Amino acid sequence: MTEGRIVKVSGPLVIAEGMREANMFDVVRVGEMNLIGEIIEMHGDRASIQVYEETAGLGRGDRVVSTGAPLSVELGPGLMENIYDGIQRPLVAIKNAVGPNITRGVDLPALDREKKWYFEATAKRGDHVVGGDIYGVVKENEVVRHKIMVPPGTEGEISELLSGYYTVTDPIGKLSKPDGTTEDIIMMQKWPVRVARPYKEKLPPNEPLITGQRNVDSMFPVAKGGTACIPGPFGSGKTVVQHQLAKWSDADFVIYIGCGERGNEMTDVLLEFPEIADPKTGSSLIKRTVLIANTSDMPVAAREASVYTGITIAEYLRDMGCSVAVIADSTSRWAEALREMSGRLEEMPGEEGYPAYLTSRLAQFYERAGMVRCCGSDERIGALTAIGAVSPPGGDISEPVSQATLRIVKVFWGLDSSLAYRRHFPAINWLNSYSLYKDRLAPWYEKNVAADWMAQITEAMRILSAEAELDEIVKLVGIDALSASDRLTLEVAQSIREDFLQQDAMSPDDSYCPPEKQHDLLALILYFRDAASRAISGGADIEAISELAVRERIGRAKSAPTAEYKREFAAIRAEIDAEIASLGGKR
Amino acid sequence: MYREYRTIEEVAGPLMLVRNVDGVKYDELGEIIMPSGEVRRCRVLEVNGSDVLVQLFESSAGLNLEYSKVRFTGHGVELPVSREMLGRVFNGMGEPIDGGAKLIPEAVRDINGTPINPASRKYPSEFIETGVSTIDGLNTLVRGQKLPIFSGSGLPHANLAAQIARQAKVRGTDEKFAVVFAAIGITFEEADFFISDFKKTGAIDRTVLFINLASDAAIERISTPRMALTAAEYLAFDCNMHVLVIMTDITNYAEALREVSAARKEVPGRRGYPGYLYTDLATMYERAGRREGSTGSITMIPILTMPEDDKTHPIPDLTGYITEGQIILSREIYRKGYLPPVDVLPSLSRLKDKGIGAGRTREDHSGTMNQLFAAYARGKEAKELMVVLGESALTPVERLYAKFSDEFEARYVNQGFYEDRTIEQTLDLGWELLHILPKSEMKRIKPAILEKYW
């Protein structure tokens, strides 16, 4: 326990002397209020400390005590349905303890120490276990079976292990270690947030994260274990897209990090998720969700830590052999927190004042995603998908955070404010977005959804880019100059945009669209295209085709309830045939 | 008592360095005693060994290194608050300037406040009827929302803000309602416009005014909005009132912040504004809302003028990332003489979806809103095309859309600053305008609703 004294206070940065024996990245308690801080630089016996709470009231000579341990998270039963701040303090418990506003120096354990969980042993006495092996399970709620694992780096023979009701810190058994000592087995693990949890090997991702969003699954899919980013100016619907992904992703767990964003958005998640049924389990979505909230009015230093806290919890859940999605909104605020600390440390700034290590920090964060063979003897596979929002100033993605992110991630969903003004949501620009997983994931879709999946998507993309070219011509010479088939292309592209790409997050039947329905919906639009195209070569009038009544019905097809959409789609096809045929008849 | 120091070493711009102090805390309030006996206030920005860097809240004129003294008060900048603040006028530092009696405080609050725990926020969902069609119908305001007005120099944002303050109500309730108004570096005339408008309508009795005029010390502006918000928090969360906070002009605030940052020689972010501008603005804006343990609310309308009408300028840009939408005023609409000149398409209220629909406004609200947006956007596109190619190049339907967009601006957007439309009038007007278009174009409206209201 090193104890030092404050010599300098400048915003969230505190410098203390007499800290020679403290370690880099140790957590320290600062001042009379025991504020939590972390050592980020050492100069002789002076330590630079970033303090995770408001520092008003600190002064020279105040005490700083090192805890001798790095910033860590507590991992074990009780994580689910919880909302934490950036350094994993439980916000609901804080509310119950100190009232509706967050006061300083609150010290509550992240995992409830009182609550007893039923631990069911699956390993038995005499088993030899290594890090990652499973002692047993705790049924945390109706959806989550929380596997209690041997912490990484631990090895030995179980000399005692009993099922029963325990708190997270009660001994559930004893482990004889190779060096002859024995230690108690407890359910809770601790892990330093800045260190990635180990795994056996990384695997190339080959399965899509199904999100129920047509723009994502069909157009720009992300793999389980992949990385994606959503840059967009304000008002372009970033947060709605993020919420949709958090709601409908077919991951076993979702970690939602609200990093420097609006308080009401976190409240929205907190209030809404318990009400929504998970399409996979039928139980409420909150059961599999952990929220990390550092809203924009909460201390800025904890913002820097919040993404690490979130991804460490995600890695722990991944280690159980599960698929986990981490959704961070927004990494720009995290980068700004880095910039602020860097400025206070008087470091030489890089581009736009951001520190020179911005890119490497971002890369380290996204590299913690991936599909892995987990530690332990049973060869489980886990996947961690990382999705980050970026808030570029003025919507201009040439700024450093967007550019650094784009160099790392494989999927880019570019949001466009001109689409948002037209109330085209999600406002993902189909012309400049991309997914580098598209080809790798094609076999999965072709096997599990439809054989013509890729062909159909490619065709749709071709029509959309043809539209962009034709639009240029229309702007110059007017629509009358186009041939009938080009005008049909425009009509079909409009249909793809409005009837397929637009998806209403508020509509109960459209908010989640399963891949098969996505495929059939696009097939329906292309079916119309083919029928109309035949009619045009037979001499039908394009004006008449564009005014067919069935087109409105195609427009409403996406909101057909999932259970009965097939019948509706078949009926629409029949109507397309009938109306196109009647065109031919009239002529 | 507190020790006094005669060790002022440097004064430069809004900053002052004091040497050889002891026991001074970060963010502590200090008082400078001038040789004349006058007291000015300052705040500790940095403690470095036995030196402290302080920021002045008032002008440094007359300050004398030899004879001026500094004492530190042992607490941060505070505001005495009381229910009696209603109807009173304060300066930017929270001192009464209306010549009235001294306030007897019911509590004393630190002006920085504390963050609201996101777990104890209540989601804003009560519809506020402002009587302005473009807000009620298309960018609905709800209690506890922060919805800024992005304006430009010479646009009538003050009139719109005054109109909202005058007309805003939550229907079916007669709960206590108050206005807190913070004038941040605006001209006397603009401040006077608000005050006389509040007086004329009798709203002054339920209004607290904090006035920092353009002629007052720029540095005082850093405290003004926080003073106002501290008063608002007391009225909302301690006295359970519904408080509307109007702050004008945030651009002046950000400039004062930049002045301090530049004097400290901090590494600047975009356009010379400090890198922490986002965090700083957020600690103000996020004080709006509703929370558990109180029935009151703070609804916030910050007003800012966009330099060169540029929405990507750091101040509107960062504001837009924090607030729950924005109302943007348009010079083009203003030139056409339509008031209030709201630019409908880029304006947005993020919380509208929870505040509209059956039981709150009317069942057809959501569908007609989307239809009006889409139709207006299409109409404007058609008109652009018309400029290039002439009217004959448009299809008949596009011509109808162009007509719709003209009518929409002339009747829906244009209502003047003194017409108070109910939400039903606004919605009915929307339907009337949609009749310009064929019924088959109503793709955004649910068939059942369309049948009932068409």
Side-chain angles (χ1 to χ4, degrees):
Chain A
M1 288 282 246
T2 315
E3 188 173 321
R5 299 273 158 196
I6 293 180
V7 291
K8 179 177 175 180
V9 188
S10 169
L13 178 76
V14 165
I15 294 179
E17 60 184 12
M19 301 292 290
R20 199 172 180 89
E21 279 158 47
N23 307 316
M24 272 295 277
F25 296 111
D26 269 1
V27 170
V28 294
R29 307 311 287 258
V30 181
E32 296 307 308
M33 281 172 291
N34 274 321
L35 309 182
I36 299 172
E38 186 183 12
I39 300 179
I40 51 172
E41 263 186 19
M42 299 284 284
H43 298 278
D45 73 339
R46 287 190 166 202
S48 302
I49 297 159
Q50 66 173 351
V51 181
Y52 292 127
E53 297 175 77
E54 173 57 48
T55 51
L58 292 179
R60 182 166 73 120
D62 286 354
R63 201 167 50 122
V64 175
V65 183
S66 164
T67 60
L71 184 67
S72 303
V73 287
E74 296 184 354
L75 304 164
L79 283 173
M80 291 304 129
E81 303 176 54
N82 227 324
I83 173 165
Y84 293 110
D85 78 351
I87 49 174
Q88 212 204 7
R89 285 182 300 181
L91 287 173
V92 175
I94 289 178
K95 174 180 81 177
N96 296 335
V98 300
N101 285 41
I102 301 172
T103 47
R104 292 187 286 165
V106 188
D107 195 8
L108 288 164
L111 296 180
D112 190 340
R113 294 290 193 274
E114 308 294 317
K115 176 151 184 164
K116 283 191 188 289
W117 303 94
Y118 183 74
F119 168 75
E120 189 189 337
T122 53
K124 55 187 188 304
R125 207 180 135 193
D127 282 358
H128 183 85
V129 292
V130 295
D133 282 346
I134 291 163
Y135 285 130
V137 276
V138 166
K139 197 163 182 293
E140 194 170 333
N141 56 40
E142 50 264 50
V143 193
V144 175
R145 283 170 60 82
H146 194 116
K147 298 190 177 100
I148 306 300
M149 294 173 288
V150 180
T154 308
E155 191 183 342
E157 195 179 293
I158 300 174
S159 50
E160 199 184 312
L161 190 66
L162 284 172
S163 301
Y165 283 94
Y166 301 102
T167 68
V168 287
T169 49
D170 283 342
I172 55 174
K174 283 195 179 351
L175 188 71
S176 313
K177 299 176 103 175
D179 60 4
T181 57
T182 45
E183 68 170 30
D184 285 340
I185 301 169
I186 60 169
M187 291 198 272
M188 186 180 83
Q189 299 186 14
K190 279 196 169 190
W191 193 264
V193 296
R194 295 184 196 281
V195 181
R197 282 175 66 92
Y199 49 81
K200 270 192 189 149
E201 64 170 326
K202 231 174 203 176
L203 307 167
N206 54 11
E207 196 182 309
L209 182 78
I210 297 298
T211 63
Q213 309 304 304
R214 291 187 287 269
N215 272 287
V216 175
D217 297 349
S218 293
M219 308 304 280
F220 310 107
V222 60
K224 282 197 173 114
T227 50
C229 75
I230 318 176
F234 66 83
S236 59
K238 248 186 335 289
T239 301
V240 177
V241 174
Q242 296 264 52
H243 282 197
Q244 287 294 94
L245 295 174
K247 279 178 198 165
W248 305 121
S249 289
D250 70 337
D252 300 310
F253 298 106
V254 172
I255 317 288
Y256 192 92
I257 309 170
C259 177
E261 289 291 311
R262 305 174 183 93
N264 279 329
E265 282 171 5
M266 293 313 288
T267 313
D268 189 22
V269 175
L270 269 180
L271 297 178
E272 197 181 359
F273 276 30
E275 307 292 320
I276 303 173
D278 186 342
K280 216 166 74 168
T281 61
S283 189
S284 110
L285 278 176
I286 197 82
K287 302 278 180 205
R288 52 146 203 189
T289 310
V290 185
L291 299 169
I292 312 284
N294 178 281
T295 55
S296 54
D297 55 341
M298 285 158 79
V300 66
R303 195 161 307 157
E304 194 267 334
S306 64
V307 300
Y308 295 108
T309 300
I311 203 145
T312 310
I313 294 174
E315 283 176 335
Y316 169 76
L317 298 169
R318 171 206 71 191
D319 287 346
M320 294 180 189
C322 296
S323 156
V324 190
V326 172
I327 294 169
D329 186 13
S330 140
T331 54
S332 293
R333 306 298 161 226
W334 171 80
E336 280 163 12
L338 271 189
R339 173 167 72 179
E340 186 170 342
M341 287 315 294
S342 164
R344 304 252 186 206
L345 288 168
E346 292 165 9
E347 292 172 340
M348 184 69 81
E351 234 179 315
E352 287 191 22
Y354 286 104
Y357 46 79
L358 171 71
T359 317
S360 60
R361 292 278 174 91
L362 266 172
Q364 277 166 14
F365 169 74
Y366 282 107
E367 259 314 280
R368 288 173 78 168
M371 191 170 208
V372 301
R373 198 180 307 281
C374 306
C375 290
S377 321
D378 64 350
E379 305 288 306
R380 338 183 260 282
I381 306 276
L384 199 173
T385 315
I387 299 167
V390 184
S391 317
D396 173 11
I397 62 163
S398 65
E399 55 93 39
V401 183
S402 302
Q403 285 305 313
T405 307
L406 284 176
R407 295 221 308 268
I408 306 156
V409 300
K410 301 283 190 294
V411 182
F412 166 64
W413 298 309
L415 295 174
D416 195 328
S417 52
S418 67
L419 291 174
Y421 295 166
R422 275 188 265 154
R423 297 304 188 262
H424 174 110
F425 287 117
I428 296 176
N429 185 318
W430 52 90
L431 293 175
N432 67 6
S433 301
Y434 60 81
S435 164
L436 299 181
Y437 297 114
K438 217 167 186 172
D439 294 329
R440 180 175 286 169
L441 297 175
W444 187 94
Y445 281 113
E446 284 166 0
K447 182 164 165 258
N448 293 287
V449 187
D452 62 344
W453 176 273
M454 264 316 269
Q456 201 175 280
I457 303 291
T458 314
E459 181 59 14
M461 281 305 290
R462 196 192 60 74
I463 294 170
L464 288 171
S465 49
E467 182 196 29
E469 285 165 24
L470 290 172
D471 266 347
E472 296 292 312
I473 300 174
V474 172
K475 277 196 191 120
L476 288 175
V477 293
I479 195 150
D480 293 330
L482 293 185
S483 68
S485 72
D486 280 347
R487 286 191 61 183
L488 178 64
T489 304
L490 287 184
E491 294 287 340
V492 174
Q494 187 196 351
S495 179
I496 293 176
R497 283 189 283 113
E498 291 180 0
D499 308 335
F500 183 74
L501 292 180
Q502 281 187 19
Q503 189 166 359
D504 185 357
M506 302 298 157
S507 150
D509 291 312
D510 196 28
S511 186
Y512 175 78
C513 184
E516 208 185 346
K517 185 176 166 190
Q518 299 185 18
H519 171 266
D520 293 356
L521 183 58
L522 190 54
L524 185 68
I525 295 167
L526 294 177
Y527 183 81
F528 171 79
R529 196 268 317 254
D530 293 340
S533 175
R534 276 195 302 274
I536 285 175
S537 35
D541 179 22
I542 177 71
E543 296 279 345
I545 288 176
S546 69
E547 278 158 23
L548 288 178
V550 72
R551 298 201 58 205
E552 199 191 326
R553 203 163 163 200
I554 297 174
R556 297 192 195 282
K558 60 184 169 191
S559 40
T562 307
E564 55 208 58
Y565 82 88
K566 280 192 186 254
R567 209 176 43 211
E568 169 71 7
F569 284 16
I572 296 174
R573 281 184 183 231
E575 199 176 321
I576 293 174
D577 290 341
E579 288 192 5
I580 296 274
S582 75
L583 277 181
K586 254 185 258 165
R587 196 164 37 87
Chain B
M1 255 319 272
Y2 302 106
R3 261 190 279 179
E4 291 180 356
Y5 298 96
R6 268 178 195 270
T7 48
I8 302 174
E9 177 85 15
E10 272 175 35
V11 183
L15 301 182
M16 187 172 87
L17 186 73
V18 189
R19 291 221 186 269
N20 297 322
V21 298
D22 190 34
V24 176
K25 309 294 188 191
Y26 174 69
D27 210 24
E28 194 174 333
L29 176 70
E31 290 174 334
I32 305 161
I33 301 126
M34 309 287 287
S36 62
E38 186 198 343
V39 175
R40 290 185 190 166
R41 299 205 267 180
C42 60
R43 179 175 76 112
V44 177
L45 272 190
E46 188 174 299
V47 178
N48 191 358
S50 60
D51 298 348
V52 292
L53 184 69
V54 300
Q55 173 210 317
L56 305 175
F57 283 119
E58 287 150 88
S59 124
S60 56
L63 226 155
N64 179 308
L65 300 192
E66 196 60 37
Y67 302 110
S68 303
K69 292 176 286 188
V70 189
R71 69 167 170 245
F72 294 94
T73 58
H75 56 76
V77 185
E78 290 173 335
L79 177 74
V81 287
S82 150
R83 252 169 265 250
E84 301 300 315
M85 294 177 100
L86 289 170
R88 301 289 303 269
V89 186
F90 301 85
N91 69 7
M93 288 301 288
E95 291 148 352
I97 49 167
D98 54 359
K102 211 167 173 299
L103 206 68
I104 301 160
E106 290 164 15
V108 176
R109 295 281 157 85
D110 189 296
I111 63 159
N112 287 320
T114 46
I116 302 181
N117 187 331
S120 56
R121 275 184 189 267
K122 288 193 280 187
Y123 200 77
S125 61
E126 285 169 293
F127 165 66
I128 298 181
E129 190 181 271
T130 64
V132 179
S133 289
T134 40
I135 297 179
D136 291 353
L138 302 174
N139 299 293
T140 317
L141 179 69
V142 295
R143 261 184 187 167
Q145 184 173 12
K146 37 192 180 295
L147 189 65
I149 298 174
F150 287 7
S151 180
S153 315
L155 291 177
H157 45 260
N159 302 58
L160 178 59
Q163 185 178 21
I164 295 171
R166 196 166 56 231
Q167 299 177 349
K169 56 200 158 289
V170 171
R171 294 210 292 184
T173 60
D174 55 346
E175 284 159 332
K176 279 175 284 179
F177 182 66
V179 176
V180 172
F181 178 77
I184 309 164
I186 59 175
T187 58
F188 167 77
E189 280 166 51
E190 202 172 347
D192 186 58
F193 166 79
F194 279 101
I195 296 174
S196 45
D197 196 86
F198 291 151
K199 274 190 183 145
K200 209 163 55 195
T201 56
I204 193 86
D205 295 334
R206 50 186 174 89
T207 303
V208 190
L209 294 122
F210 289 85
I211 308 277
N212 168 283
L213 295 180
S215 54
D216 294 335
I219 222 68
E220 190 182 292
R221 280 164 212 163
I222 293 183
S223 304
T224 308
R226 294 197 160 78
M227 294 283 170
L229 285 165
T230 306
E233 276 174 357
Y234 180 75
L235 295 173
F237 301 137
D238 289 69
C239 308
N240 292 319
M241 299 172 94
H242 292 287
V243 184
L244 178 69
V245 180
I246 298 174
M247 301 196 288
T248 176
D249 180 326
I250 297 295
T251 306
N252 294 336
Y253 169 82
E255 268 160 17
L257 205 63
R258 176 165 71 175
E259 192 178 328
V260 175
S261 171
R264 292 188 70 184
K265 303 191 172 59
E266 290 173 331
V267 179
R270 285 172 72 212
R271 298 215 184 183
Y273 291 98
Y276 49 80
L277 181 61
Y278 177 84
T279 311
D280 192 274
L281 289 174
T283 53
M284 296 185 339
Y285 296 146
E286 280 289 326
R287 289 167 82 169
R290 300 165 65 216
R291 57 167 220 207
E292 284 174 15
S294 162
T295 54
S297 64
I298 297 180
T299 310
M300 197 189 290
I301 303 188
I303 300 171
L304 56 91
T305 44
M306 298 182 278
E308 297 167 52
D309 294 354
D310 176 11
K311 200 173 68 136
T312 65
H313 184 279
I315 301 167
D317 190 51
L318 296 179
T319 298
Y321 275 120
I322 307 163
T323 52
E324 284 136 350
Q326 65 277 339
I327 303 290
I328 299 188
L329 302 188
S330 151
R331 214 169 281 279
E332 187 197 329
I333 305 256
Y334 185 54
R335 269 197 225 108
K336 289 182 187 164
Y338 298 152
L339 298 175
V342 174
D343 197 355
V344 168
L345 294 180
S347 296
L348 169 75
S349 162
R350 292 166 186 273
L351 303 181
K352 61 179 185 300
D353 294 309
K354 301 267 157 76
I356 62 174
R360 297 196 183 86
T361 53
R362 211 165 72 183
E363 55 180 347
D364 55 328
H365 194 155
S366 166
T368 46
M369 177 179 74
N370 288 326
Q371 191 68 58
L372 286 168
F373 267 123
Y376 181 50
R378 195 145 163 218
K380 282 190 80 162
E381 271 172 28
K383 287 191 67 179
E384 272 172 35
L385 211 58
M386 209 156 85
V387 172
V388 183
L389 299 167
E391 198 176 338
S392 58
L394 299 186
T395 62
V397 175
E398 277 172 333
R399 249 169 266 164
L400 288 177
Y401 271 108
K403 176 166 180 246
F404 169 84
S405 90
D406 286 340
E407 289 285 310
F408 177 81
E409 285 175 6
R411 296 176 56 199
Y412 196 94
V413 176
N414 183 27
Q415 70 174 86
F417 290 120
Y418 292 93
E419 185 182 338
D420 187 355
R421 290 182 187 159
T422 65
I423 182 65
E424 284 80 13
Q425 285 171 330
T426 293
L427 289 172
D428 292 344
L429 178 60
W431 279 109
E432 204 182 313
L433 291 167
L434 286 174
H435 269 92
I436 296 172
L437 302 168
K439 192 176 174 185
S440 60
E441 290 292 312
M442 301 295 121
K443 285 187 187 171
R444 309 268 177 144
I445 303 174
K446 288 207 176 82
I449 302 277
L450 189 60
E451 288 315 315
K452 187 166 164 191
Y453 290 90
W454 184 257

